[in-house]
Amino acid sequence: EAQVTQNPRYLITVTGKKLTVTCSQNMNHEYMSWYRQDPGLGLRQIYYSMNVEVTDKGDVPEGYKVSRKEKRNFPLILESPSPNQTSLYFCASSSAGTGFQPQHFGDGTRLSIL
Amino acid sequence: AQSVAQPEDQVNVAEGNPLTVKCTYSVSGNPYLFWYVQYPNRGLQFLLKYITGDNLVKGSYGFEAEFNKSQTSFHLKKPSALVSDSALYFCAVRENSFTSGTYKYIFGTGTRLKVLA
């Protein structure tokens, strides 16, 4: 089954404790992206990647890091989490094919930073 | 800067009635527009897109959207609403990657659709 898998689905942690949210896709997609969803703000793009070892900032990259060492994986790293990073996070991927292919989303990771 | 606006936080409609969820956009250059739907505790699912061509775009689950360049709108429509259509709907625009080499997306704030039995 074609899917984007995020782990963990839920995490409660404390300020300053480094954490990583993993994202993996099995569709051989070139493009991957991370978003955060907050009430009243919709989805905002954090980082994206258009190829292995190619990443770039979205609209809200502060406090986050990403890496793309393999095509299928795109982890999101919070080096020193703070309460304002409490949010619902989504990873997405899409093909680089013609016609602006739609994104496939994971089921989300709900992070609570105390 | 590109932007997307969904002016209604919530839309209520009776089952069997037509529904419209509004979206307006502001972009430089050609707009590449998408609609996604989100059900509780799930990720977003693609409904339809407008890249070029016919102004009326048909998508999944009987949804369609009308692109109107003069009004810079891309409203989502369905002729007859179902209770199961109740969900959160997002409009999004993608930056033109041919000119800027990016994969940047801007999403609206979402509209909650409630279909009443």
Side-chain angles (χ1 to χ4, degrees), chain A residues 9 17 19 26 29-30 48 55 60 65 70 85 114:
Chain A
R9 292 290 314 277
K17 186 176 181 182
L19 67 91
N26 62 1
H29 285 166
E30 291 79 10
Y48 63 90
T55 63
V60 288
K65 286 176 59 177
E70 307 163 282
Q85 293 177 298
L114 305 177

Side-chain angles (χ1 to χ4, degrees), chain A residues 9 31-33 35 37 40-43 45 48 50 57 59 90 94 99-103 105-107, chain B residues 32 34 36 38 41-44 46 49 51 88 90 94-95 97-98 101-109:
Chain A
R9 292 290 314 277
Y31 298 161
M32 297 186 75
S33 189
Y35 297 90
Q37 182 178 6
L41 297 177
L43 270 77
Q45 195 172 30
Y48 63 90
M50 298 181 78
K57 296 177 181 179
D59 287 329
F90 288 100
S94 70
F100 293 89
Q101 298 305 309
Q103 297 181 84
F105 283 80
D107 283 337
Chain B
Y32 302 106
F34 299 78
Y36 288 85
Q38 184 181 31
N41 299 315
R42 300 300 304 274
L44 281 67
F46 169 73
K49 65 180 178 181
I51 305 302
L88 187 57
F90 288 98
R94 179 176 167 180
E95 279 194 17
S97 65
F98 296 114
T102 74
Y103 183 60
K104 294 189 79 171
Y105 276 88
I106 305 295
F107 279 78
T109 51

Side-chain angles (χ1 to χ4, degrees), chain A:
Chain A
E1 180 190 352
Q3 59 186 0
V4 177
T5 303
Q6 297 178 225
N7 280 296
R9 292 290 314 277
Y10 304 91
L11 179 63
I12 302 173
T13 187
V14 295
T15 299
K17 186 176 181 182
K18 180 180 178 180
L19 67 91
T20 299
V21 184
T22 64
C23 174
S24 181
Q25 50 95 2
N26 62 1
M27 295 166 279
N28 202 36
H29 285 166
E30 291 79 10
Y31 298 161
M32 297 186 75
S33 189
W34 275 104
Y35 297 90
R36 59 179 289 173
Q37 182 178 6
D38 300 290
L41 297 177
L43 270 77
R44 292 178 292 166
Q45 195 172 30
I46 303 171
Y47 270 96
Y48 63 90
S49 169
M50 298 181 78
N51 211 332
V52 174
E53 302 291 0
V54 179
T55 63
D56 210 341
K57 296 177 181 179
D59 287 329
V60 288
E62 295 78 20
Y64 304 95
K65 286 176 59 177
V66 293
S67 67
R68 187 98 181 268
K69 293 184 171 57
E70 307 163 282
K71 195 173 186 180
R72 63 182 293 128
N73 295 324
F74 190 44
L76 179 70
I77 303 156
L78 285 70
E79 294 268 5
S80 183
S82 63
N84 64 11
Q85 293 177 298
T86 292
S87 187
L88 179 57
Y89 291 85
F90 288 100
C91 180
S93 72
S94 70
S95 166
T98 56
F100 293 89
Q101 298 305 309
Q103 297 181 84
H104 297 251
F105 283 80
D107 283 337
T109 296
R110 187 169 292 280
L111 284 183
S112 293
I113 316 294
L114 305 177

Side-chain angles (χ1 to χ4, degrees), chain B residues 69-117:
Chain B
K69 188 172 184 177
S70 63
Q71 297 185 8
T72 61
S73 67
F74 188 55
H75 300 333
L76 182 70
K77 302 182 183 218
K78 189 174 182 181
S80 179
L82 299 173
V83 172
S84 56
D85 292 330
S86 298
L88 187 57
Y89 291 80
F90 288 98
C91 183
V93 63
R94 179 176 167 180
E95 279 194 17
N96 184 340
S97 65
F98 296 114
T99 56
S100 61
T102 74
Y103 183 60
K104 294 189 79 171
Y105 276 88
I106 305 295
F107 279 78
T109 51
T111 297
R112 189 164 299 281
L113 174 67
K114 192 169 185 178
V115 181
L116 307 169

